[in-house]
């Protein structure tokens, strides 16, 4: 965006290298991209950046894209000057205050405006919001909350997230990570399923404490990735998520008047396969699927049992096998865990991170993950941790 007194003063469609005055970084990953960095000038460019990490479009094509929050903020601080860059989790704050993450953008704009970095009047910005004609009052409130955060961020954080300790917004403790996932698994299946999760996490925690007191890296990895395997998104879970009330609440918040739902699904029992590649072909289903989902969600107790009509597909069998395999692997590692091989054990525990997608996409990732598991386990048992630092 370029601002000038008249159109005649503006030329070109892009900002030249080292000519940016202000960065309103709604997306941390994009703000730290190569193209953006080229326009920043150390000492000249000021920045207000949302440090909530949002997966960008490139992540869908490159799922292992580096998106480490600490590295990205360090890169920006060095490029802009530490006094020139401000970071705030506008996504978490705006979502808590306004009920929608989209409010983060106007929140950030309000923050930047209050810092005196935008050469426009308050009246002109509010007029622009009105002329845009979309969610006018909500956008004005989001902008106002951003201004208040610039004036007293601690107070706004306390209003938005009253139970969060000061200075740790967006940061989960190990206890919170475990508790949230155990609660989710109760809703996903039942209390016994959640206890199964907690049992392995506790076992790993004790073994890690014995191997290296004070370390929690392995326990956190297991808490995250064992959960990921256990909460695989099958037909029952899709049905539950559509009918637990949150989906309808989001729809009604974003759309007004009459609207019609259509679902594109490939149920393994009914879907046909593409004769060329063998992949399931999605079909379109009408709004009546919501009633079907409501009924299906009630039968989640069948999951994995002999009566599960979906449980005999190759994908479901593979998902359940992965859970048991992970349990056996982590129990095995705990028996010979040391301070030296702990980092390698963490790598093994994080292997499920590489398993993504559904259907044939997931099958490909599962095969790659198994190959990686065999390689890392072999190194673990041989005591070969020399390659870890180099990698």
């Amino acid at each position: 965006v370029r601002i000038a007194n008249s159109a005649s003063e503006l030329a070109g469609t892009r900002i030249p290298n080292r000519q940016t005055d202000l960065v309103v970084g709604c997306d941390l990953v994009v703000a730290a991209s190569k193209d953006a960095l080229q326009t920043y000038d150390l000492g000249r460019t000021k920045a207000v950046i949302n440090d909530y990490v949002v997966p960008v479009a490139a992540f869908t094509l490159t799922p292992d894209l580096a998106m480490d929050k600490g590295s990205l903020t360090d890169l920006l601080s060095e490029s802009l000057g530490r006094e020139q860059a401000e970071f705030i989790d506008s996504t978490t704050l705006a979502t808590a205050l306004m009920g929608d993450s989209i409010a983060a953008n106007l929140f950030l704009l309000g923050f930047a405006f209050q810092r005196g970095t935008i050469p426009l009047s308050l009246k002109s910005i509010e007029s622009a919001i009105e002329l845009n004609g979309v969610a006018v009052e909500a956008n004005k409130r989001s902008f106002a909350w951003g201004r208040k955060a610039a004036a007293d961020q601690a107070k706004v954080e306390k209003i938005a997230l009253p139970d969060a300790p000061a200075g740790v917004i967006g940061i989960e403790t190990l206890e919170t990570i475990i508790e949230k996932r155990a609660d989710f698994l109760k809703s996903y299946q039942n209390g016994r399923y959640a206890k199964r999760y907690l049992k392995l996490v506790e076992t790993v925690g004790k073994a890690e404490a014995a191997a290296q007191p004070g370390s929690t890296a392995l326990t956190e990895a297991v808490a995250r990735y064992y959960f990921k395997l256990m909460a695989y998104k099958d037909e029952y879970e899709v049905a539950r998520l559509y009918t637990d009330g949150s989906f309808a609440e989001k729809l009604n918040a974003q759309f007004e008047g009459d609207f019609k739902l259509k679902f594109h699904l490939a149920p393994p029992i009914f879907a046909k396969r593409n004769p060329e590649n063998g992949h399931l072909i999605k079909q379109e289903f009408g709004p009546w699927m919501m009633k079907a989902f409501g009924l299906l969600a009630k039968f989640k107790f069948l999951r994995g049992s002999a009566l599960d009509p979906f449980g005999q597909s190759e994908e479901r069998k593979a998902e359940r096998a992965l859970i048991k395999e992970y349990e056996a692997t982590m129990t095995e590692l705990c028996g010979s865990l040391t301070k030296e091989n702990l980092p390698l054990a963490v790598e093994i525990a994080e292997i499920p991170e590489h398993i993504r997608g559904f259907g044939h996409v997931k099958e490909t990732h599962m095969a790659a993950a198994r190959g990686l598991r065999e390689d890392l386990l072999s190194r673990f048992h041989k005591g070969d941790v020399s390659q870890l630092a180099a990698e």
Side-chain angles (χ1 to χ4, degrees), residues 169-188:
I169 288 181
I171 300 176
E172 288 185 303
T173 64
L174 177 59
E175 291 74 17
T176 302
I177 290 170
I178 296 171
E179 183 180 350
K180 283 173 61 177
R181 284 156 178 76
D183 287 343
F184 184 95
L185 291 174
K186 287 179 185 177
S187 299
Y188 176 88

Side-chain angles (χ1 to χ4, degrees), residues 93-262:
L93 290 173
T95 302
L97 293 164
M98 301 297 297
D100 193 334
S101 62
I102 196 66
N105 296 342
L106 265 293
F107 180 99
L108 204 63
L109 186 67
F111 192 101
F113 174 82
Q114 192 65 24
R115 284 285 189 259
T117 57
I118 300 176
L120 296 171
S121 68
L122 174 61
K123 182 178 179 181
S124 65
I125 291 179
E126 291 186 338
S127 294
I129 293 174
E130 292 168 0
L131 288 170
N132 191 46
V134 177
V136 173
E137 292 307 314
N139 282 331
K140 282 185 176 180
R141 289 199 304 273
S142 300
F143 183 80
W145 274 117
R147 293 182 63 200
K148 291 177 181 178
D152 191 341
Q153 184 173 332
K155 185 175 181 179
V156 172
E157 288 179 354
K158 192 64 178 176
I159 294 171
L161 303 165
D163 296 326
V168 295
I169 288 181
I171 300 176
E172 288 185 303
T173 64
L174 177 59
E175 291 74 17
T176 302
I177 290 170
I178 296 171
E179 183 180 350
K180 283 173 61 177
R181 284 156 178 76
D183 287 343
F184 184 95
L185 291 174
K186 287 179 185 177
S187 299
Y188 176 88
Q189 184 70 11
N190 52 38
R192 185 172 61 180
Y193 199 62
K195 287 180 180 178
R196 177 180 172 183
Y197 166 80
L198 291 171
K199 182 179 179 181
L200 180 63
V201 173
E202 182 181 0
T203 298
V204 173
K206 290 179 179 178
E208 183 174 16
Q212 186 171 354
S215 174
T216 61
L218 180 59
T219 308
E220 181 173 334
V222 172
R224 291 183 185 278
Y225 296 108
Y226 181 39
F227 165 81
K228 179 180 178 179
L229 294 179
M230 293 185 74
Y232 59 91
K233 193 172 286 186
D234 60 3
E235 292 76 8
Y236 302 108
E237 179 61 358
V238 170
R240 185 185 74 84
L241 292 174
Y242 271 123
T243 58
D244 68 356
S246 58
F247 176 67
E249 184 178 330
K250 290 179 181 178
L251 278 181
N252 292 325
Q254 295 184 48
F255 300 98
E256 296 179 355
D258 295 330
F259 54 83
K260 185 177 182 180
L261 295 175
K262 292 182 180 180

Side-chain angles (χ1 to χ4, degrees), residues 23-147:
V23 182
V24 182
C26 299
D27 186 308
L28 177 62
V29 177
V30 176
S33 65
K34 181 180 178 181
D35 288 344
L37 289 171
Q38 290 176 348
T39 72
Y40 305 160
D41 184 33
L42 183 66
R44 169 181 177 167
T45 307
K46 294 183 181 296
V48 174
I49 297 172
N50 178 10
D51 63 4
Y52 180 88
V53 179
V54 181
V56 292
F59 187 73
T60 62
L61 300 175
T62 312
D64 294 316
L65 183 69
M67 292 190 355
D68 178 67
K69 176 177 175 178
S71 299
L72 294 174
T73 54
D74 284 346
L75 175 61
L76 284 163
S77 295
E78 293 171 4
S79 300
L80 296 159
R82 295 194 179 273
E83 298 300 319
Q84 300 289 90
E86 287 192 83
F87 299 93
I88 182 170
D89 187 348
S90 61
T91 295
T92 297
L93 290 173
T95 302
L97 293 164
M98 301 297 297
D100 193 334
S101 62
I102 196 66
N105 296 342
L106 265 293
F107 180 99
L108 204 63
L109 186 67
F111 192 101
F113 174 82
Q114 192 65 24
R115 284 285 189 259
T117 57
I118 300 176
L120 296 171
S121 68
L122 174 61
K123 182 178 179 181
S124 65
I125 291 179
E126 291 186 338
S127 294
I129 293 174
E130 292 168 0
L131 288 170
N132 191 46
V134 177
V136 173
E137 292 307 314
N139 282 331
K140 282 185 176 180
R141 289 199 304 273
S142 300
F143 183 80
W145 274 117
R147 293 182 63 200

